[in-house]
Amino acid sequence: MTVNALTKNTKHLLKSLYMSGVHHFVVSPGSRSTPVALLLGELARNNKDVELYVDVDERSAGFFALGIAKTLREPVVLLGTSGTAITEYAPAAAEASISHVPLIILSTDRPAELQSNGAPQTLPQQNIFGSLTKKSVTFSLQDEHPDMTEYIDFMIQKMVREIMIVPRGTMQVNLPLRKPLIPQLDNQVPINVTPLVFDNYSSDFPVMRLDQSRVLILAGPNEGEDYQDILSQFARINHIPVIADVLSRARSKTTIYGIDALLNAGLVTEAYQPDLVIRFGATPVSERVLQWLKIKNIPVWHVDSHAGTDHSRHVSRAIAVTPAIFLKQVVVTNDFEFYQLWQNLNRVPRRITGEMSVPYVLDQVVASDQQIFVANSMAIRDMDDVFTGLKTQKIYANRGANGIDGVISTALGMSATTTQRSVLLVGDLTLFHDMNGLMMAKQYSLPLDIIVINNNGGGIFSFLPQSHADEYFETLFGTPLTLDISKIADLYDIPYVQLEDRNDLLTVLSTEVVGARLIEFKADRVKNVVDHQQFMGVTHE
Amino acid sequence: MTVNALTKNTKHLLKSLYMSGVHHFVVSPGSRSTPVALLLGELARNNKDVELYVDVDERSAGFFALGIAKTLREPVVLLGTSGTAITEYAPAAAEASISHVPLIILSTDRPAELQSNGAPQTLPQQNIFGSLTKKSVTFSLQDEHPDMTEYIDFMIQKMVREIMIVPRGTMQVNLPLRKPLIPQLDNQVPINVTPLVFDNYSSDFPVMRLDQSRVLILAGPNEGEDYQDILSQFARINHIPVIADVLSRARSKTTIYGIDALLNAGLVTEAYQPDLVIRFGATPVSERVLQWLKIKNIPVWHVDSHAGTDHSRHVSRAIAVTPAIFLKQVVVTNDFEFYQLWQNLNRVPRRITGEMSVPYVLDQVVASDQQIFVANSMAIRDMDDVFTGLKTQKIYANRGANGIDGVISTALGMSATTTQRSVLLVGDLTLFHDMNGLMMAKQYSLPLDIIVINNNGGGIFSFLPQSHADEYFETLFGTPLTLDISKIADLYDIPYVQLEDRNDLLTVLSTEVVGARLIEFKADRVKNVVDHQQFMGVTHE
């Protein structure tokens, strides 16, 4: 027995809504909404606690749903067909938005190829309610890729939770659909929606006892809170291994660093698998660690003020408190051997050569509590793999949108906050993108040591599949600019030094200077790939 | 000595930012931003803890500000001139938005008359960053009305607070400016910004001891929480007078009702003035009570999950906890005589005639815990003035956007949530707006008693200044539709009853019926004004 994408995804949509606490649906019939309406009928038939109302006038339907939602303090769904029908929900959406009543508008829509081409009942429906909706999303219910199904499950549960927390509000789910619009009714293929539990504490966070004995903490990027002491004590007392991202502000002698390389080297075998991972902070620098958790199906809870943000769609429980509050209230007794196994990973020998030498030596020569800004791309990955952070935890990067732009300026802004010298680790291509930013270093004599790893182009692309497209690679991805870093220094009146040997870094950084300084480390992109392959004695993917 | 609007408002803008915790400003110079830049120079000269940076390239400036904000975890201001300059902030705004760094963009703009007309450096700047900014506002710095100055103070403090709470984000303040652009430098007229304190508790709300002994609670509309028992006990033990809005779900024998009429009758004299008012919930039905607090300059704290929403711009402290949590933690010893004084206001004789009779009789004949939906305009005002709510607290209304539309449907939605009959109180004009909504009553046989106060038009306008514009009044505001309510009932197969006398209401409501029922009470708009004038023996404004 099979199920087609339209039927499967629509069922996932409706079941995710139902699992998120939606028990009332108000439908205004039409043609485009046919598959959703029919499967909603099936859902209501099979679940006694689902109430289905049909209201032919969408304006009235909007307010009717509002009345239910307002009285029960529960989210209520509106389902409408494409065209002006959807705009009829605007008055009720306005009232709901201002008075914080959770309304969910499912707006079925014409597919992309009928937009802006004179097709009947077709208007730009995406985010049509603007600021009247707190959240808005578009799903392609006829998309056959399994990621779409999982995305629907995850996003619906996440969005309904978001409109249910203060300030409560409304949301729109826009559903472009192609003909044929008839779903498979009474199809018996089971629909398994992974539940995503959201805990939100407006006042006290209670004591929480964990049954698991192989708990592991994954401390992700964190710029908002200093919880390293609490974490360190908690982990030591309870024997909790901690994988600490270079941006976590939580690395210490007992935290595991360089998880990406350890996983890549195949060192994290079955014996290391936890029975629960507690994730703090934002998306880790290591993509591989998230893949590992998902592939091995290891349960993950996300504990953070912004809990529930997980593009890997694997977090099963989101607890919206700060790590510090969580750690004070959680009780766990972990297996000591499991803890020791993980601790030993820090003793794996590393062979550090080439570009990786810079963060490696920096780790040793950096001043206590010195601020370091790290560019995206290769720089942050190398830092994550080799920088232990034993001397300083003040590591910054732009990991929101992960742009190559603005890095010089952001680092200069960081350096302007203290009289102690700061350090920037950056590649030549990233430096070029914000070369103008150096003017601030000159104008304000900002105390920043800019270490440029100059491999004449975009080093990270050599690790990606396109590196084998020989004909186009250098032009389109390698993009060598053959920058003369000393000339850049000259233009902005900034002192320039070239590192002949990686160990010169200590001498250079301890040489006094006023304002900024450009420190060049020349590297080679092809050699860099080999260096990384030999880092832990294995070949990269 | 005088100060012009541009100088005054710009100083208020900058001082409000400074008082909200902004100490770093990054300016990219230009022509349109001249007055803000000059007065910022003055602010920095006069305040040692203000850092002013000049970065000529706006793209770099955006990231430079981001670097400071990220490191210090403080809001940082960007000031830019009109045109593409503003769009250069987009990359930094994107990074800040996703990584929750508080950036504030002051975008100076061309005035309205230069928009979309080929003027140089002019583009649509309002909310130009869309969802990249958490909040966006436009201020007319050259507006001479004092409300604008107060609005700037209040909104800046409120918005900066909103971007500083989870999820943190960015905001844009758009500033259209006309020439001449030169402010008065070194003007000595003092700038007094009323501080607005925001308390936000992510975990525990501590015990709070109040010094004041004449504390009064104003319980506003509340659909989100049932705290009436806690409030009632707290008020009785601590002798706190409570003014309870009809939508507060908190009216009891000891709460004051009908504050609007009491104020209008001049009964709330100096002796009644509290030294602190604690406001719960949303905007009260009575506009007059907010005006009174403001005119008498009585300190007001707003305690609510949505604390800080106050269009009267008078709240001086916003405490973001639920009333229930607040009441558990607050300690106060109130003056008993003050308490008794207020209690006696409930004994003031009321002369209830005409339209007001309906909520008055309803108050007595309503079933225990029966749900009542109230239309906006006259219906909700009369309910607030005469309905004691001793039998039921389940009063609902659409007070977010206060629309005349959708009331029938919302009330039917409310009635669909319970098998007990519900009641709707509505005027003829509001009924007409959502007449289509009655179809749901027929289709689902919903148990709602719809009491229509039919005064053939818009009753509330007779109380407004336009009631004296005899030539246009009936056509433009009175709008008599001469609806035959019995014919509406006939169209939708709904039983119809006309109330001959207000006391018939008990008989009618206790007569069994299946589904909805239309109950008409005929009234007269001119007489209604007189009835209200004689309500407490005084003449309305």
Side-chain angles (χ1 to χ4, degrees):
Chain A
M1 195 173 42
T2 57
V3 58
N4 65 29
L6 173 63
T7 304
K8 183 180 64 169
N9 286 331
T10 307
K11 283 186 168 185
H12 272 264
L13 168 69
L14 296 175
K15 190 164 178 186
S16 299
L17 286 165
Y18 176 60
M19 286 168 58
S20 302
V22 178
H23 292 102
H24 295 77
F25 297 79
V26 183
V27 178
S28 298
S31 163
R32 196 59 48 171
S33 57
T34 299
V36 190
L38 287 173
L39 291 170
L40 191 48
E42 204 176 285
L43 181 82
R45 190 194 60 196
N46 297 337
N47 294 279
K48 290 257 178 280
D49 57 350
V50 169
E51 294 282 345
L52 178 58
Y53 293 95
V54 176
D55 193 341
V56 295
D57 181 335
E58 287 82 2
R59 181 177 69 164
S60 299
F63 283 104
F64 187 81
L66 176 80
I68 300 173
K70 176 189 282 267
T71 314
L72 297 181
R73 303 171 189 176
E74 279 179 14
V76 175
V77 161
L78 286 158
L79 171 64
T81 200
S82 66
T84 57
I86 301 308
T87 67
E88 292 283 350
Y89 293 139
E95 173 63 31
S97 166
I98 306 175
S99 58
H100 307 296
V101 176
L103 273 194
I104 300 170
I105 298 167
L106 305 188
S107 56
T108 55
D109 196 0
R110 303 278 164 138
E113 65 271 19
L114 296 183
Q115 298 290 330
S116 313
N117 284 313
Q121 293 193 341
T122 307
L123 45 87
Q125 290 185 192
Q126 283 201 42
N127 197 23
I128 194 169
F129 302 107
S131 63
L132 295 180
T133 37
K134 193 173 171 185
K135 296 283 160 185
S136 179
V137 74
T138 291
F139 292 139
S140 298
L141 293 176
Q142 287 154 328
D143 187 331
E144 297 186 357
H145 197 287
D147 274 3
M148 177 53 70
T149 309
E150 203 178 80
Y151 177 60
I152 291 169
D153 292 354
F154 191 85
M155 278 303 283
I156 286 292
Q157 294 183 75
K158 179 168 151 65
M159 286 171 74
V160 177
R161 178 253 189 172
E162 283 174 354
I163 66 162
M164 289 302 288
I165 60 173
V166 172
R168 288 188 174 194
T170 66
M171 62 185 252
Q172 180 202 6
V173 181
N174 197 46
L175 302 167
L177 290 162
R178 284 197 184 94
K179 292 183 178 176
L181 297 167
I182 302 299
Q184 296 162 295
L185 291 177
D186 296 313
N187 181 292
Q188 301 299 317
V189 174
I191 295 299
N192 295 315
V193 173
T194 308
L196 174 54
V197 178
F198 283 103
D199 301 73
N200 193 54
Y201 299 93
S202 61
S203 58
D204 295 336
F205 178 69
V207 168
M208 183 180 274
R209 282 169 211 285
L210 304 184
D211 297 332
Q212 295 87 342
S213 61
R214 293 162 68 87
V215 175
L216 180 143
I217 286 176
L218 172 57
N222 156 46
E223 286 176 350
E225 202 196 357
D226 293 317
Y227 62 85
Q228 54 268 55
D229 293 343
I230 301 168
L231 174 61
S232 186
Q233 195 181 7
F234 178 86
R236 198 178 57 246
I237 294 173
N238 300 298
H239 308 137
I240 313 287
V242 176
I243 300 173
D245 191 280
V246 70
L247 297 173
S248 67
R249 305 175 81 90
R251 286 196 169 176
S252 69
K253 275 185 188 167
T254 55
T255 56
I256 319 304
Y257 73 101
I259 185 64
D260 201 84
L262 292 166
L263 281 164
N264 194 37
L267 297 171
V268 187
T269 57
E270 298 284 322
Y272 290 81
Q273 284 183 29
D275 46 19
L276 176 66
V277 167
I278 294 166
R279 240 187 81 185
F280 296 152
T283 306
V285 170
S286 169
E287 176 67 23
R288 200 171 266 114
V289 71
L290 294 186
Q291 285 171 5
W292 172 65
L293 294 173
K294 180 147 184 164
I295 290 165
K296 300 295 181 188
N297 203 21
I298 299 164
V300 178
W301 295 358
H302 191 197
V303 176
D304 198 75
S305 305
H306 302 104
T309 308
D310 173 32
H311 72 287
S312 73
R313 300 183 302 272
H314 178 58
V315 161
S316 62
R317 186 169 182 183
I319 304 179
V321 293
T322 62
I325 293 175
F326 178 83
L327 290 170
K328 279 180 200 156
Q329 295 296 80
V330 81
V331 179
V332 58
T333 312
N334 234 21
D335 187 75
F336 187 63
E337 280 179 34
F338 173 71
Y339 176 65
Q340 278 192 312
L341 200 63
W342 274 94
Q343 294 304 320
N344 289 335
L345 283 178
N346 274 350
R347 303 208 186 94
V348 173
R350 274 106 164 144
R351 184 173 176 277
I352 293 163
T353 49
E355 295 187 14
M356 283 182 290
S357 305
V358 179
Y360 177 76
V361 177
L362 184 63
D363 189 34
Q364 293 158 31
V365 304
V366 72
S368 178
D369 285 335
Q370 198 167 9
Q371 296 183 151
I372 302 176
F373 201 93
V374 189
N376 291 313
S377 205
M378 284 311 293
I380 190 70
R381 285 171 177 76
D382 284 350
M383 278 288 284
D384 194 44
D385 273 341
V386 309
F387 193 87
T388 66
L390 297 184
K391 289 195 178 168
T392 181
Q393 290 292 340
K394 294 185 176 167
I395 326 284
Y396 296 89
N398 282 343
R399 297 299 287 177
N402 304 358
I404 198 171
D405 46 350
V407 167
I408 301 293
S409 296
T410 317
L412 286 168
M414 173 195 75
S415 77
T417 64
T418 170
T419 52
Q420 188 189 20
R421 292 191 72 78
S422 298
V423 174
L424 165 62
L425 191 64
V426 65
D428 56 297
L429 207 53
T430 302
L431 167 69
F432 175 72
H433 269 83
D434 190 22
M435 217 163 55
N436 268 14
L438 289 170
M439 185 56 79
M440 289 299 276
K442 175 180 169 180
Q443 297 286 76
Y444 291 90
S445 189
L446 295 169
L448 181 69
D449 283 311
I450 304 169
I451 307 174
V452 186
I453 297 171
N454 185 2
N455 56 23
N456 198 20
I460 200 165
F461 297 110
S462 304
F463 292 89
L464 300 179
Q466 58 263 52
S467 61
H468 304 298
D470 292 343
E471 193 181 346
Y472 310 108
F473 184 75
E474 275 299 290
T475 316
L476 281 175
F477 299 100
T479 57
L481 300 179
T482 322
L483 287 175
D484 186 331
I485 309 293
S486 71
K487 287 184 184 171
I488 298 171
D490 199 33
L491 173 64
Y492 290 101
D493 293 337
I494 295 173
Y496 166 83
V497 196
Q498 189 185 327
L499 291 182
E500 299 299 335
D501 181 272
R502 69 187 198 180
N503 294 319
D504 292 349
L505 195 56
L506 174 60
T507 324
V508 171
L509 291 181
S510 54
T511 306
E512 278 195 27
V513 67
V514 171
R517 174 164 47 191
L518 270 162
I519 302 164
E520 182 178 15
F521 180 84
K522 284 193 192 282
D524 180 278
R525 281 185 270 130
V526 176
K527 180 175 173 298
N528 190 39
V529 175
V530 179
D531 289 340
H532 277 80
Q533 284 168 348
Q534 295 175 343
F535 176 41
M536 286 195 176
V538 292
T539 303
H540 263 254
E541 282 170 12
Chain B
M1 197 173 41
T2 57
V3 58
N4 65 29
L6 173 64
T7 304
K8 183 179 64 170
N9 286 331
T10 307
K11 283 186 169 185
H12 272 264
L13 168 69
L14 297 174
K15 190 165 179 186
S16 299
L17 287 165
Y18 176 61
M19 285 169 59
S20 302
V22 178
H23 293 102
H24 296 77
F25 298 80
V26 182
V27 178
S28 297
S31 164
R32 196 57 49 170
S33 57
T34 298
V36 190
L38 287 173
L39 291 169
L40 191 49
E42 203 176 286
L43 181 83
R45 189 195 59 196
N46 296 337
N47 294 280
K48 289 260 180 278
D49 56 351
V50 169
E51 294 282 346
L52 178 57
Y53 293 95
V54 176
D55 192 341
V56 295
D57 181 337
E58 287 82 4
R59 181 176 70 165
S60 300
F63 283 104
F64 187 82
L66 176 80
I68 299 173
K70 176 189 282 266
T71 314
L72 296 180
R73 303 170 189 179
E74 278 179 15
V76 174
V77 161
L78 286 159
L79 171 64
T81 199
S82 66
T84 57
I86 301 308
T87 68
E88 293 282 350
Y89 293 140
E95 173 63 30
S97 167
I98 307 175
S99 58
H100 306 296
V101 175
L103 273 195
I104 299 170
I105 298 167
L106 304 188
S107 56
T108 54
D109 196 359
R110 301 280 163 138
E113 66 271 19
L114 295 184
Q115 298 289 330
S116 312
N117 284 313
Q121 292 193 342
T122 307
L123 45 88
Q125 289 184 195
Q126 283 202 43
N127 197 23
I128 194 168
F129 302 107
S131 63
L132 294 180
T133 37
K134 192 174 171 186
K135 295 283 161 185
S136 179
V137 74
T138 291
F139 292 139
S140 298
L141 293 176
Q142 286 154 327
D143 187 332
E144 297 186 356
H145 198 288
D147 274 3
M148 178 53 70
T149 309
E150 204 178 79
Y151 177 59
I152 291 169
D153 292 354
F154 191 85
M155 279 302 285
I156 286 291
Q157 295 183 74
K158 180 168 151 64
M159 287 172 72
V160 176
R161 177 253 190 173
E162 282 173 355
I163 66 163
M164 289 301 288
I165 59 172
V166 172
R168 287 189 174 193
T170 66
M171 62 184 252
Q172 180 201 7
V173 180
N174 196 47
L175 303 167
L177 289 162
R178 285 194 184 94
K179 292 183 178 175
L181 297 166
I182 301 299
Q184 296 162 295
L185 291 176
D186 296 313
N187 180 292
Q188 301 299 316
V189 174
I191 295 300
N192 295 314
V193 173
T194 309
L196 175 53
V197 178
F198 284 103
D199 302 73
N200 193 55
Y201 298 93
S202 63
S203 59
D204 296 336
F205 178 69
V207 169
M208 183 179 275
R209 282 169 209 286
L210 304 185
D211 297 332
Q212 295 87 342
S213 61
R214 294 161 69 86
V215 175
L216 181 143
I217 286 176
L218 172 57
N222 155 46
E223 286 176 348
E225 202 196 358
D226 294 315
Y227 63 85
Q228 53 268 56
D229 293 342
I230 301 168
L231 173 61
S232 186
Q233 196 182 6
F234 178 86
R236 199 178 57 246
I237 293 172
N238 302 298
H239 308 137
I240 312 286
V242 176
I243 300 173
D245 190 281
V246 70
L247 297 172
S248 66
R249 306 175 81 89
R251 286 196 169 176
S252 69
K253 276 185 189 168
T254 55
T255 56
I256 319 303
Y257 73 100
I259 185 64
D260 201 83
L262 293 165
L263 283 164
N264 193 36
L267 297 170
V268 187
T269 57
E270 297 285 322
Y272 290 81
Q273 285 184 27
D275 46 18
L276 175 66
V277 167
I278 294 166
R279 240 187 80 185
F280 296 153
T283 305
V285 170
S286 169
E287 176 67 22
R288 200 171 266 112
V289 71
L290 294 186
Q291 285 170 7
W292 172 66
L293 295 172
K294 180 149 186 165
I295 289 165
K296 299 297 181 187
N297 203 20
I298 299 164
V300 177
W301 295 358
H302 192 198
V303 175
D304 197 75
S305 304
H306 303 105
T309 308
D310 173 31
H311 72 287
S312 73
R313 300 183 301 271
H314 178 57
V315 160
S316 61
R317 186 169 181 184
I319 305 179
V321 294
T322 62
I325 294 175
F326 178 82
L327 290 170
K328 279 180 201 154
Q329 296 295 80
V330 81
V331 179
V332 58
T333 312
N334 232 22
D335 187 75
F336 186 63
E337 281 178 35
F338 172 72
Y339 177 65
Q340 279 192 310
L341 200 63
W342 274 94
Q343 295 303 320
N344 289 336
L345 282 178
N346 274 350
R347 304 207 185 95
V348 173
R350 273 103 164 148
R351 185 173 176 276
I352 293 162
T353 50
E355 296 186 13
M356 281 182 291
S357 305
V358 179
Y360 176 75
V361 177
L362 185 63
D363 190 34
Q364 293 158 31
V365 305
V366 73
S368 178
D369 284 336
Q370 198 167 9
Q371 296 184 152
I372 302 176
F373 200 92
V374 189
N376 291 312
S377 203
M378 284 311 292
I380 190 71
R381 285 170 176 77
D382 284 349
M383 278 288 283
D384 194 44
D385 273 341
V386 310
F387 193 88
T388 66
L390 297 184
K391 289 195 179 169
T392 182
Q393 290 293 339
K394 294 185 176 166
I395 326 284
Y396 297 89
N398 282 343
R399 298 299 287 177
N402 305 357
I404 198 171
D405 46 351
V407 168
I408 301 293
S409 297
T410 317
L412 286 168
M414 173 195 73
S415 78
T417 64
T418 169
T419 52
Q420 190 188 20
R421 292 191 72 77
S422 297
V423 175
L424 165 63
L425 191 65
V426 65
D428 56 297
L429 207 54
T430 302
L431 168 69
F432 175 73
H433 268 85
D434 190 22
M435 216 162 57
N436 267 15
L438 289 170
M439 185 56 79
M440 290 299 275
K442 175 180 169 180
Q443 298 286 77
Y444 291 90
S445 188
L446 295 169
L448 182 68
D449 282 311
I450 304 170
I451 307 174
V452 187
I453 297 171
N454 184 1
N455 56 24
N456 198 20
I460 201 165
F461 298 111
S462 303
F463 293 90
L464 301 180
Q466 58 263 54
S467 61
H468 304 298
D470 292 342
E471 193 182 347
Y472 310 107
F473 184 75
E474 274 300 290
T475 316
L476 281 175
F477 300 99
T479 58
L481 300 178
T482 323
L483 286 176
D484 186 331
I485 308 294
S486 70
K487 287 185 182 169
I488 298 172
D490 200 33
L491 173 64
Y492 290 101
D493 294 336
I494 296 172
Y496 166 83
V497 196
Q498 189 185 325
L499 292 181
E500 299 299 333
D501 180 272
R502 68 187 199 181
N503 293 318
D504 294 349
L505 194 56
L506 173 60
T507 326
V508 171
L509 291 181
S510 55
T511 306
E512 280 195 24
V513 67
V514 172
R517 174 164 48 190
L518 269 162
I519 302 164
E520 182 178 14
F521 180 84
K522 283 193 193 284
D524 180 278
R525 281 185 270 130
V526 176
K527 181 175 171 299
N528 191 38
V529 174
V530 179
D531 289 340
H532 277 80
Q533 283 169 349
Q534 295 175 343
F535 176 41
M536 285 194 177
V538 293
T539 304
H540 264 254
E541 282 169 12

